Each structure stands twice: as structure tokens, then as C-alpha cells.
Amino acid sequence: MLDIAEELHRWVEQGRAFAVATVVAVGGSAPRQPGAALAVDSEGTAIGSVSGGCVEGAVYDLCVQALDDGRTVVERFGYSDEDAFAVGLTCGGIIDILVTPVRGGVFPAALGAAADGAAAALARIVSGPDDLLGRALLVRPDGGYEGGLGGHPELDRTAAGEARAMLDAGRTGTVEIGADGSRCGQPLTLLVESSVPAPRMIVFGAIDFASALVRVGKLLGYHVTVCDARPVFATAARFPEADEIVVAWPHRYLESTEVDGRTVLCVLTHDAKFDVPLLKAALRLPVAYIGAMGSRRTHEDRNERLRGVGVTELELARLRSPIGLDLGARTPEETALSIGAEIVANRRGGTGVSLTGAHTPIHHDIPREPTGRIGSVA
């Protein structure tokens, strides 16, 4: 539900009644992951998606029904071998959908936190006794929580601990709690949706390729910073879509700013006086991705320079250079697309090869890096 939080938060502020359908479990080649959501208000307006179109009509009807009867339900959708036109997932996957009317509780606070980009986790019961389905707990980074899962303080504390662990990792997914831990005599499944600030993309080098990469970074959900030591190039007029523009020597800025395991660093300067001190620092940081632009000759020369300042072979192995996937790119936009594609492949565990004729999964489940504020298993 948090992936459409900004619009839903506006609905709450406007006093609009609505119901939300959320993917809580998937199997096979399902098109969306847990946390993907579709919402319908009392006027019939719909936002979001749970299947990329396969079962949206049926899920829409379930939301309308939930608004009418106030009931929370879990429905399963899968492929029908007997009738290929039946309501189901033609891709062959299976998804379980939690449909619930949103009427107060912790939901407004959860939506507000997600809309503001604040860290919080929403834990909801998606499997267990019928009277507990949809019960929710909002968990903060400090471990504090509000709401409740059914009048069992021990269950709330257990769930809050599990949700905080998911929040710390920036992940969305399900958590199983055994019958003893649930305090209700039955095992429970919780869907934990983590809302975390957008991951950072730092683009070093205020060149024309950087402008295109800023746009791709924003499309992928990153908070994008452009850094260059030359004030004549690092300007808001040249990079209107960047979240932040910094005029500083790249390595000095990198040493002074905060990065984490979701941060991606794109070095586009291909100038040794900038690249070598910058990459020496970058390759020793626990970031998700480090890529550097340049020809293969530039790459070999840069590697020798890095070895000369003490960078080890193990550290050099982290460097993606020449940056990007082999798309035959020539223009700044095509090059930015190849860089973005490599970042996604690195994050999701993809191979980067064409899916045509390949025997690799279409959707990878390797948790590498959260995608931002919301939504899918990271």
C-alpha cells in the first residue's frame, strides 16, 4: 500500500473512503511483488496496480465490495488451465491479495510517513484467524509502535521486533509467527511494508551524459546528486531535475557525505585528477554500485593509477568500468539507459542478457538493494 502513499494520503486528507488491495504473497512468474497495491475510492476512482493488468478488473470489484460490506478478505488468483480467458494470471503465476477497507487506525499515520519519505514500517496480519485479518501495527525506527494486532501485547511486541528488523534492512515481505508467539493459538503471517528514504545516486561530472543519467536516476526512484568541482558546469540550469547540485572536489565531497548499502556512485569525469582520488575512496565504501565512464584504454590506465595509490585487486573488482551494459549506446540518453540497466541488473541479480531464447527467470528474487521509499521485495 505504501507504493501509492502520496495519493492515498491526499485521499485521507480529503476525507475520501477507500479500500486497498495489496499483494501479500506470490508464486511462479507473478508480475508484481508483495506490497504492490491497487486502491479504489467510494467514487470509483482507482490508482495503482497488483498484476500489471491481468486481474485488475476482478480486484477492483473486490475493493468496491469491501467498501460496501466493510469486510477484509484474502483472495488467490492463478492461471486457469481449463479456461485461458478466466480471471487469472496468464503468465502462470499465483498471487494472494489482501483487500481491506481503510477506516482510520494507523493507516493515516503510515501513509503520511511514506508520503513524507520518513522511515516507518506497516505490519498487517495477512494469514491467521479471520477476525484478525488486516489488523495493523505501525513501527518506527526507534522501535516504538502504535496500533495493535488483536489485543495481545506480547504479539504486538514480537511483531514490532520483526517489523523493525525489516525496516532496518529497507525490505518489504512476509514474516511468519508461530502459534506460541501469536498468543492466539494459531500461526500468523505478517506482511511488513517498509517505507524508507529514497536511495542515493551520486553522479560525479557535470557533463551532457550526466544530465541524461539524472533523468534515468529519477525514473528509477533515486535521490540524485550531481557533483563537480567546476562551478560553471555544476548549475541548476543545466540539471533542473537533480535533487541536489554540489560544487566541490569529488573525493572531498564523497568523504563528507552520507552513503549506505543502497547508494550508487556514477563517475563520469574520465579525468585522472578527479577519478583516481575519488575511486580510491569510493572502492572502500559499503555502497551498492560503483561505475566509471571511459574507453577500455582509459579503464586500463585508470586501473594502473589506482594500483599505484594502493587500491587492491579485490577493491578494483568492485568497479564497473567501462560503465553500463553493452547496448551499443552512442547518445547521452542511450548511455544513461545502459547505465541504469546495469544498476538494475546489479540490484536484482539479473544477467543483462536478452530474455529472448534465454532460460533465466524474468523476475529475480535476489535481495540486493531496496528501491526506495516503498513497495517491492528489495
Side-chain angles (χ1 to χ4, degrees):
M1 180 172 70
L2 300 185
D3 58 353
I4 49 176
E6 290 186 19
E7 182 63 25
L8 292 185
H9 184 54
R10 283 192 286 270
W11 286 10
V12 169
E13 291 182 326
Q14 293 165 3
R16 295 161 72 173
F18 60 93
V20 176
T22 307
V23 176
V24 298
V26 301
S29 184
R32 302 296 304 274
Q33 293 297 303
L38 173 114
V40 180
D41 73 359
S42 56
E43 300 299 319
T45 302
I47 58 172
S49 171
V50 292
S51 70
C54 299
V55 299
E56 309 300 287
V59 175
Y60 178 97
D61 291 340
L62 288 172
C63 287
V64 172
Q65 180 179 329
L67 281 169
D68 288 340
D69 61 27
R71 294 181 61 242
T72 295
V73 298
V74 174
E75 294 285 346
R76 172 165 291 184
F77 294 89
Y79 182 74
S80 169
D81 291 324
E82 293 76 21
D83 182 0
F85 294 99
V87 174
L89 297 175
T90 55
C91 59
I94 295 173
I95 57 174
D96 290 341
I97 305 286
L98 173 73
V99 183
T100 184
V102 175
R103 294 173 176 168
V106 300
F107 292 103
L111 295 171
D116 292 340
L122 181 67
R124 289 187 282 169
I125 297 176
V126 299
S127 176
D130 288 345
D131 63 328
L132 297 185
L133 282 181
R135 297 288 185 94
L137 199 69
L138 178 62
V139 181
R140 306 289 185 180
D142 61 2
Y145 57 89
E146 56 186 280
L149 299 180
H152 302 285
E154 292 182 34
L155 170 58
D156 291 346
R157 285 193 292 270
T158 299
E162 297 284 357
R164 185 182 178 189
M166 296 282 279
L167 178 61
D168 288 344
R171 294 187 58 199
T172 287
T174 55
V175 173
E176 306 292 333
I177 296 180
D180 290 341
S182 73
R183 311 304 297 172
C184 63
Q186 296 183 40
L188 299 175
T189 302
L190 302 178
L191 173 68
V192 179
E193 298 176 83
S194 293
S195 165
V196 292
R200 297 192 67 189
M201 172 186 282
I202 308 179
V203 180
F204 296 98
I207 63 176
D208 52 353
F209 288 89
S211 181
L213 184 55
V214 168
R215 296 195 295 273
V216 169
K218 295 299 294 180
L219 179 65
L220 293 176
Y222 286 94
H223 180 282
V224 183
T225 299
V226 175
C227 174
D228 197 299
R230 303 165 298 179
V232 67
F233 295 114
T235 65
R238 298 189 71 221
F239 301 97
E241 296 179 64
D243 296 291
E244 183 182 23
I245 298 171
V246 176
V247 178
W249 275 78
H251 71 285
R252 292 174 183 162
Y253 174 67
L254 184 59
E255 290 168 351
S256 67
T257 193
E258 292 187 9
V259 297
D260 60 26
R262 303 182 301 145
T263 302
V264 301
L265 307 178
C266 301
V267 181
L268 309 186
T269 46
H270 49 79
D271 183 330
K273 69 176 178 289
F274 294 122
D275 291 1
V276 172
L278 171 60
L279 289 171
K280 178 183 178 181
L283 291 169
R284 294 170 179 172
L285 294 174
V287 295
Y289 172 92
I290 306 166
M293 178 175 278
S295 67
R296 296 192 186 281
R297 182 175 179 178
T298 298
H299 166 72
E300 293 299 331
D301 176 70
R302 186 165 49 211
N303 277 4
E304 286 305 310
R305 291 173 182 269
L306 288 168
R307 291 185 183 102
V309 295
V311 176
T312 68
E313 295 302 317
L314 187 61
E315 291 168 340
L316 276 178
R318 299 184 60 207
L319 178 60
R320 300 299 185 105
S321 175
I323 195 171
L325 296 184
D326 180 12
L327 304 184
R330 288 188 176 273
T331 68
E333 290 75 19
E334 291 172 348
T335 301
L337 178 63
S338 80
I339 296 170
E342 183 173 59
I343 290 170
V344 172
N346 179 71
R347 184 173 71 205
R348 299 298 187 190
T351 63
V353 303
S354 175
L355 290 173
T356 302
H359 300 287
T360 56
I362 294 176
H363 306 290
H364 290 259
D365 295 324
I366 298 176
R368 294 291 181 89
E369 170 198 339
T371 59
R373 214 178 53 231
I374 44 92
S376 60
V377 173

